[in-house]
Amino acid sequence: MIRRPLSGFATIVVFVALSGTLLAALPAQKSQTKKTAFAAGSSSQAKSAEAAPSVTTISVGGVNDIDPAKAFGSKNAPVVMEVYSDFQCPACKTLFTSTTQKVMDNYVNSGKVFLIHRDFPLPMHAYSRVAASYSRAAAHIGKCDEVEQALFRNQEKWEMTGDVVGTVAAALSPAEMKRVQALVDAKIFEPLIEKDKQMGQIVPVNQTPYTVLHTKSGQTFPVVGFVSYDVLKTFLDQLVAQK
Amino acid sequence: MMQSTPFNFRRVFLWICRIVLAAVFLYAGSAKLLGWGLHLHPSIESTKLSLLYFALQVDSYQLLPPWAVQFVAHTLPLAEIAIGLLLLIGWLLPLWTTLVTLLIAGFFATVVRAYLLHLDINCGCFAKPEPLTGLTVLRDGALLLIAVLMTVFAFQESRRPHPWSASKSDQPV
């Protein structure tokens, strides 16, 4: 008696042929993606040069255009973590209050991670760009953490009223607020916010929060949306332990 | 002399469904295990890294506690590869097609939930950055439909003997 002599074998043959075709197409697709990314990077860099910001940016671990006032930790850290966020986005608030703060305490302060805060104000949020401007100005007078905390923790209040200035003022002394207001009015740091947005568009960031982890060996790991500290911690430990 | 199998739409459709879903599951499992979307060099270290990266994507659905996230991230890719191979081999087909259908129904429910909650996250389906959009929901819905049809046809086929294996008395005159 013959019991389906070729069905399993033939299925495997068909599958192997399909897989071969799929795999053969992969390298071409990969190189094309790289070329596109390179072209996008070049045109963006040209645009950035035209913008000519008055504040200098730095490069760390292969990551360019970093505003030192919005970056924390050792420049020799084995992992660079870029967080693109919008002050009016609820998931960004959750990420900041429950994950990023713990990463600051346990990885940034111990020199294992270099953390970069990137502004990516989304057009659908009416006050996020204003909040980004005040946060950036505050960062340049050394009050980044205080103002970011105030903006995220009181997000529900100021997004209803639009009172970004009052929220920032409550976190600073009158003298500090005066300095911040002067910097915001002078629009000195607007090119830096634009640069962050351009960097995000290259990634491409299409939603917030968006985290990109970079290793010394050049690997990049994009993480979209909220991620809990415990799960991120396991991943960071593995990245830090990598040779 | 061996007879050729008479054309049977149901059997052909079942074959196509098996090949399509096996390919999807084998690709998804291998991509997560080997980090294809991340361009990692194959090694035990990179496999570990790839699974931990997949855990981040599972976690972004905000559905499971951290220990369960790690469990799913470390077992799902292997389960997907095993199921893909079992679908190809065809052994105990009704059982495995049922399991595949339940698994895809679970994926579909998870993706629909994330979409309705407006969670701006990556799908994590093939271990590469792929935003979860309406198209992802449609794709998973289509896969679920294929899986349901495959399961129904697998049960129907299992009840009637295959022409090659049927004895002469079973065959229609």
Side-chain angles (χ1 to χ4, degrees):
Chain A
M1 189 169 72
I2 302 165
R3 294 181 64 83
R4 305 183 197 186
L6 292 173
S7 61
F9 177 72
T11 315
I12 289 170
V13 168
V14 171
F15 177 73
V16 167
L18 279 172
S19 313
T21 315
L22 193 69
L23 286 174
L26 275 178
Q29 192 188 353
K30 202 191 293 178
S31 66
Q32 197 172 353
T33 312
K34 277 183 184 170
K35 277 179 197 169
T36 314
F38 177 73
S42 305
S43 72
S44 160
Q45 277 165 2
K47 279 180 192 168
S48 303
E50 282 165 23
S54 57
V55 178
T56 52
T57 56
I58 57 168
S59 296
V60 174
V63 181
N64 301 323
D65 293 327
I66 302 167
D67 179 358
K70 296 272 275 183
F72 310 90
S74 164
K75 288 172 189 165
N76 297 317
V79 177
V80 175
M81 181 173 163
E82 281 181 285
V83 182
Y84 289 88
S85 60
D86 172 309
F87 283 104
Q88 216 177 324
C89 132
C92 298
K93 175 189 174 174
T94 317
L95 184 77
F96 179 82
T97 52
S98 64
T99 304
T100 315
Q101 291 281 290
K102 288 179 184 166
V103 171
M104 279 287 278
D105 294 343
N106 300 316
Y107 288 88
V108 176
N109 293 341
S110 59
K112 293 175 185 168
V113 169
F114 184 76
L115 182 69
I116 306 161
H117 288 202
R118 298 264 196 209
D119 286 316
F120 200 82
L122 296 167
M124 63 183 172
H125 292 146
Y127 309 112
S128 60
R129 178 67 193 231
V130 180
S133 299
Y134 277 91
S135 157
R136 182 74 59 157
H140 281 265
I141 64 158
K143 294 287 171 186
C144 181
D145 194 41
E146 289 85 342
V147 169
E148 285 195 345
Q149 291 232 20
L151 285 170
F152 275 127
R153 292 192 192 281
N154 300 300
Q155 190 189 65
E156 290 87 353
K157 292 178 195 165
W158 61 261
E159 79 169 346
M160 296 295 284
T161 60
D163 187 18
V164 175
V165 181
T167 309
V168 174
L172 300 173
S173 69
E176 287 165 347
M177 187 59 202
K178 201 174 170 186
R179 284 174 68 196
V180 166
Q181 190 61 57
L183 289 170
V184 171
D185 291 343
K187 297 185 189 295
I188 293 170
F189 304 115
E190 293 305 304
L192 292 178
I193 297 172
E194 278 307 309
K195 194 169 271 184
D196 274 3
K197 280 189 78 179
Q198 284 170 10
M199 294 292 286
Q201 279 154 4
I202 294 167
V203 171
V205 174
N206 38 30
Q207 57 222 45
T208 55
Y210 195 111
T211 309
V212 189
L213 295 152
H214 305 261
T215 64
K216 288 266 179 199
S217 55
Q219 295 165 329
T220 56
F221 300 91
V223 182
V224 184
F226 170 75
V227 62
S228 65
Y229 174 71
D230 289 333
V231 179
L232 182 64
K233 179 185 183 305
T234 320
F235 188 63
L236 283 177
D237 285 340
Q238 181 69 20
L239 286 184
V240 169
Q242 260 191 331
K243 287 173 187 173
Chain B
M1 204 172 95
M2 191 168 68
Q3 292 175 321
S4 64
T5 315
F7 182 79
N8 178 322
F9 170 77
R10 195 166 56 195
R11 204 176 303 128
V12 170
F13 188 80
L14 183 58
W15 261 62
I16 293 170
C17 291
R18 280 170 60 191
I19 290 171
V20 168
L21 289 179
V24 168
F25 271 77
L26 283 172
Y27 177 73
S30 310
K32 285 165 195 152
L33 204 61
L34 304 172
W36 282 353
L38 302 168
H39 312 306
L40 300 174
H41 296 292
S43 68
I44 293 172
E45 282 292 298
S46 68
T47 301
K48 200 174 170 187
L49 197 61
S50 182
L51 292 175
L52 289 172
Y53 179 64
F54 178 52
L56 293 176
Q57 295 178 328
V58 175
D59 187 54
S60 65
Y61 281 90
Q62 298 171 46
L63 202 62
L64 300 169
W67 66 266
V69 165
Q70 294 294 356
F71 177 77
V72 168
H74 284 78
T75 52
L76 187 63
L78 291 171
E80 285 178 333
I81 291 172
I83 286 170
L85 289 173
L86 285 164
L87 279 181
L88 284 181
I89 292 164
W91 175 63
L92 294 177
L93 203 56
L95 173 68
W96 301 121
T97 53
T98 306
L99 189 69
V100 165
T101 306
L102 290 174
L103 198 59
I104 295 179
F107 292 158
F108 183 64
T110 310
V111 163
V112 167
R113 175 190 167 271
Y115 185 71
L116 293 178
L117 288 175
H118 302 288
L119 294 181
D120 288 332
I121 57 173
N122 265 348
C123 161
C125 311
F126 299 100
K128 60 183 174 186
E130 179 196 357
L132 195 157
T133 61
L135 276 178
T136 318
V137 175
L138 280 179
R139 184 188 64 195
D140 280 19
L143 287 176
L144 180 61
L145 183 68
I146 292 173
V148 169
L149 288 172
M150 179 180 72
T151 307
V152 171
F153 288 175
F155 271 99
Q156 285 177 347
E157 281 295 305
S158 70
R159 287 206 193 100
R160 40 174 284 183
H162 191 278
W164 286 350
S165 57
S167 63
K168 281 194 174 175
S169 59
D170 294 333
Q171 289 178 3
V173 180

